[in-house]
Amino acid sequence: MLSDCSSFTVDQDNREQLRHGTTAFPAACYIDELDQLSVSWHWHEELEAVTVAEGEALVTIGSRSHTVRRGDGFLINTGTLHSYQIHTGPVCRLHAMVFHPRLVGGSMESVFYQKYIVPLTGAKGLEGFFLCTGIPWQAAVLKWMEQAWEDGVQEPVHYEIRVRSALTELLAILCEHVPADQARPDARSSRNAKRMKQMLRFIQQNYAEELNTAAIAASAVVSESECLRCFRTVIGTTPIQYLREYRIERAAQLLAQSRIRIADAAESCGFQDIGYFTKTFRKLRGCTPKEYQNACLIQKVPG
């Protein structure tokens, strides 16, 4: 059940629209190659369990950022804004399984849902976990995460049972380590998260147009100063910097998929000045747009 994440899109609330698995088996496995793809800020109703198969990634889950390395991993809670990108090296490969809580919990009235799902998804303010192989209980979680992913990809006999069993094991361990005094988010934090989803949605739907801070602020009905404060507080950057990085990310996806002209890729992603586009692309990607396109397309040529 290895799935394609190249069709990543979000809806009007910045919720990911990609369907993970099926109604009968709501889970899907992905390989994220971060040399060609950065995962922009988004959220989804499912839980996401990720292990690092190669390289290093800079992961941000809600208000927390952390560098994860080969063997490490992380789990993202439902409804949490998150993003990740390559940190160092030429490539970073992630094994991700996205699954709906009901795959493990069944109905909300069941003991499985109440015992293994509610302690996680019901812990207000719990955005997720960063997991390191050097800590025994976290190493155990990582083992079950990778086992669930491998069974999901290879689909051995009765793989649905094996996947569900592995996910149950890892969630059982995580439930034991939810902080007892897990704080509920205050009203301001909740308001900031809601506004960020609105403003990120606006940028991702209109990145090809001429945008400024005023327009981005207006999309959430806040002042420019409040917009700037919200961006700095929630994701640690400015609206314009995020817009610029998102445009380069979308352009990189276009260049990696086809022989589109560099000027056309730039224009379709909101850059009117090809020189500025090339300079910004080099700064963020470490090479020119043409060099990036050639490298990506060479990798796709059958050996």
Side-chain angles (χ1 to χ4, degrees), residues 273-284:
D273 185 332
I274 187 66
Y276 177 66
F277 169 67
T278 300
K279 179 181 177 181
T280 305
F281 195 101
R282 183 194 290 273
K283 179 180 179 181
L284 295 177

Side-chain angles (χ1 to χ4, degrees), residues 1 22 70 113 167 207 225 251 260 276:
M1 61 183 198
T22 65
R70 182 176 181 178
Y113 203 98
L167 293 176
Y207 66 91
S225 60
I260 186 174
Y276 177 66

Side-chain angles (χ1 to χ4, degrees), residues 61-73:
I61 304 174
S63 59
R64 299 167 59 210
S65 295
H66 190 71
T67 300
V68 291
R69 299 173 174 83
R70 182 176 181 178
D72 294 340

Side-chain angles (χ1 to χ4, degrees), residues 31-270:
I31 297 176
D32 292 329
E33 299 277 3
L34 297 187
D35 59 332
Q36 298 183 17
L37 175 70
S38 295
V39 179
S40 299
W41 286 95
H42 68 289
W43 64 282
H44 41 68
E45 295 178 349
E46 296 86 356
L47 292 159
E48 182 170 0
V50 184
T51 56
V52 183
E54 182 180 356
E56 297 182 359
L58 176 61
V59 179
T60 304
I61 304 174
S63 59
R64 299 167 59 210
S65 295
H66 190 71
T67 300
V68 291
R69 299 173 174 83
R70 182 176 181 178
D72 294 340
F74 51 96
L75 183 132
I76 302 164
N77 210 345
T78 63
T80 301
L81 279 167
H82 58 278
S83 69
Y84 39 90
Q85 62 189 43
I86 194 167
H87 181 59
T88 59
V91 66
C92 178
R93 181 176 296 108
L94 306 179
H95 291 173
M97 171 169 277
V98 184
F99 62 99
H100 198 280
R102 64 182 171 81
L103 176 63
V104 173
S107 69
M108 294 185 66
E109 296 79 17
S110 74
V111 65
F112 304 104
Y113 203 98
Q114 294 299 318
K115 189 171 183 178
Y116 299 108
I117 301 302
V118 170
L120 294 174
T121 61
K124 302 299 183 183
L126 179 62
E127 298 168 326
F129 292 86
F130 288 106
L131 304 164
C132 175
T133 55
I135 300 175
W137 73 266
Q138 295 182 11
V141 173
L142 289 165
K143 181 196 74 171
W144 288 116
M145 286 168 59
E146 188 64 18
Q147 185 64 59
W149 186 87
E150 289 180 359
D151 286 336
V153 171
Q154 297 173 7
E155 298 189 2
V157 176
H158 310 312
Y159 78 91
E160 297 94 342
I161 294 176
R162 294 165 64 98
V163 168
R164 188 187 188 197
S165 176
L167 293 176
T168 301
E169 293 284 356
L170 72 88
L171 291 180
I173 299 171
L174 289 174
C175 287
E176 296 175 2
H177 292 85
V178 173
D181 60 345
Q182 183 66 54
R184 296 181 66 88
D186 57 30
R188 187 168 189 172
S189 296
S190 297
R191 186 172 60 250
N192 286 344
K194 181 178 180 180
R195 288 172 173 174
M196 279 304 306
K197 289 177 181 179
Q198 292 173 320
M199 290 187 284
L200 292 176
R201 173 195 65 191
F202 177 77
I203 290 173
Q204 295 183 3
Q205 289 181 338
N206 299 279
Y207 66 91
E209 309 298 327
E210 289 189 23
L211 297 180
N212 54 30
T213 302
I216 296 169
S219 71
V221 197
V222 297
S223 66
E224 291 186 50
S225 60
E226 180 64 13
C227 171
L228 288 166
R229 187 201 64 77
C230 196
F231 266 82
R232 291 194 183 101
T233 300
V234 178
I235 65 174
T237 189
T238 67
I240 300 305
Q241 179 64 25
Y242 175 82
L243 171 63
R244 184 162 48 243
E245 292 175 356
Y246 186 77
R247 283 171 167 170
I248 291 298
E249 178 183 323
R250 304 309 287 184
Q253 291 178 347
L254 287 175
L255 294 170
Q257 294 167 2
S258 70
R259 282 289 180 186
I260 186 174
R261 294 175 61 247
I262 303 301
D264 291 340
E267 184 177 0
S268 68
C269 293

